[in-house]
Amino acid sequence: MTGPVGVVVPTRGDRPDLLREAVLAALAQDHPVDVVVVADGVPPETVRRQVPAQARVIGNRLSPGLPGARNTGIAACDTELVAFCDDDDLWLPGKLAAQVRLAATGAEFVSCGIEIEYGDRRVIRLAGADRVTAADLTRSRMVMVHSSTFLFRRGALWVDESAPAGQNEDWDLALRAARRHPIACADRPLVRVRWGASHYAARWADRIAGLEWMLARHPELAVDPRGAARIYGQLAFGHAALGHRLDAARWASRALSARLGEPRAPIALAVAAGLIPAPRVLALLHRRGHGI
């Protein structure tokens, strides 16, 4: 595969320095690219001033939010392969070439390892395998299968725009891809994921809605005890962060019923009881390269 890769970079235009770095890193890859920056909820003219001239800038023509912006970018590409990069992340040298080589072997969807940056710390997260299955993504969200690592054949898959507030659209996409064929993984850190600038980390009502959407859309997530306990624990933590003590206790109980050793349940109960604030828990986890 010698043709360029379409690179879709959605943005709200509110972090111009990070956006410029993300676009420059994509343009610097040792494989030709067609970078499409999708302005979501902001005039394209504003974003055009923030990025190098080699990148195309268009407005989101579909539903407002991240899923619609991603689909707008896919539709605007005229390439065999499409890749995603969030506007606060950074592709490292060799990322695209390694993934294109895997796609050339017949892989429909490709990921890679990541380096999580939070404050002054960087933590490497790898899949530990050269392929990721649907069962893997049911048991664990697998943070290294991150949207900024996605490379796939254009037209094979689209982002589901019904994802509430754009929550979990990337997990849903990866799950659907893995059901078709295992995801190929270049399992070394080729993307730097910057957690400190995330728009999504503490939007608890949206995160709860996104998890409930995933459970309704993918009922198999409630079958694997470890995977179910993780989601129930996350729901417990989200409710605890919002001060919903009874809901937090209910979901924590379900988490422990699914898997007695689920660590999110006691953490959620501690937050619900006021023993530790939710932002403090997140900060401690993020410094270790983990989320709730």
Side-chain angles (χ1 to χ4, degrees):
M1 295 182 181
T2 58
V5 170
V7 183
V8 178
V9 186
T11 187
R12 297 178 181 176
D14 56 354
R15 37 196 185 192
D17 292 340
L18 292 176
L19 170 63
R20 182 174 178 81
E21 289 180 13
V23 172
L24 285 171
L27 291 168
Q29 292 292 306
D30 49 359
H31 188 92
V33 295
D34 174 21
V35 178
V36 180
V37 179
V38 184
D40 179 38
V42 61
E45 293 73 24
T46 299
V47 174
R48 196 168 286 117
R49 294 192 291 268
Q50 300 174 357
V51 298
Q54 301 97 306
R56 288 193 285 150
V57 179
I58 61 174
N60 181 2
R61 298 163 185 161
L62 299 171
S63 59
L66 184 56
R70 291 204 202 279
N71 283 340
T72 292
I74 295 172
C77 292
D78 186 21
T79 56
E80 182 180 357
L81 297 174
V82 174
F84 288 167
C85 185
D86 292 350
D87 68 349
D88 57 338
D89 293 336
L90 197 67
W91 286 1
L92 301 180
K95 183 264 189 194
L96 211 49
Q99 292 189 303
V100 169
R101 283 195 295 270
L102 289 175
T105 67
E108 183 178 85
F109 199 100
V110 185
S111 182
C112 66
I114 63 174
E115 176 186 86
I116 294 174
E117 181 178 89
Y118 184 75
D120 59 353
R121 290 177 62 88
R122 291 178 183 169
V123 178
I124 292 173
R125 297 293 303 274
L126 305 177
D130 60 5
R131 69 178 202 160
V132 175
T133 67
D136 295 329
L137 286 166
T138 299
R139 190 175 307 112
S140 169
R141 170 59 188 88
M142 299 193 72
V143 67
M144 71 292 300
V145 185
H146 185 278
S147 55
S148 290
T149 73
F150 291 0
L151 177 139
F152 54 96
R153 296 181 186 277
R154 182 177 176 274
L157 293 159
W158 296 84
V159 181
D160 192 322
E161 296 182 34
S162 70
Q167 291 282 341
N168 292 317
E169 46 81 29
D170 51 350
W171 185 18
D172 167 73
L173 184 66
L175 260 174
R176 287 188 283 122
R179 282 205 203 103
R180 292 165 59 97
H181 305 284
I183 295 172
C185 182
D187 202 29
R188 58 186 188 275
L190 295 172
V191 175
R192 182 172 301 152
V193 175
R194 294 159 156 173
W195 271 0
S198 172
H199 286 304
Y200 292 90
R203 288 164 48 181
W204 298 112
D206 290 342
R207 293 188 69 174
I208 289 168
L211 289 169
E212 291 175 341
W213 179 78
M214 285 295 292
L215 286 171
R217 183 165 168 75
H218 301 280
E220 71 274 15
L221 292 174
V223 175
D224 184 279
R226 181 178 290 271
R230 179 181 59 83
I231 294 173
Y232 299 158
Q234 290 173 324
L235 285 164
F237 188 89
H239 282 290
L242 290 173
H244 303 162
R245 293 187 177 185
L246 291 179
D247 287 327
R250 177 170 59 88
W251 282 110
S253 176
R254 288 191 66 178
L256 293 172
S257 294
R259 176 181 173 238
L260 188 58
E262 172 52 50
R264 294 167 185 81
I267 294 173
L269 292 174
V271 171
L275 300 179
I276 184 170
R280 177 61 176 159
V281 174
L282 281 189
L284 291 170
L285 290 172
H286 286 175
R287 285 186 62 81
R288 297 177 56 201
H290 291 265
I292 193 61

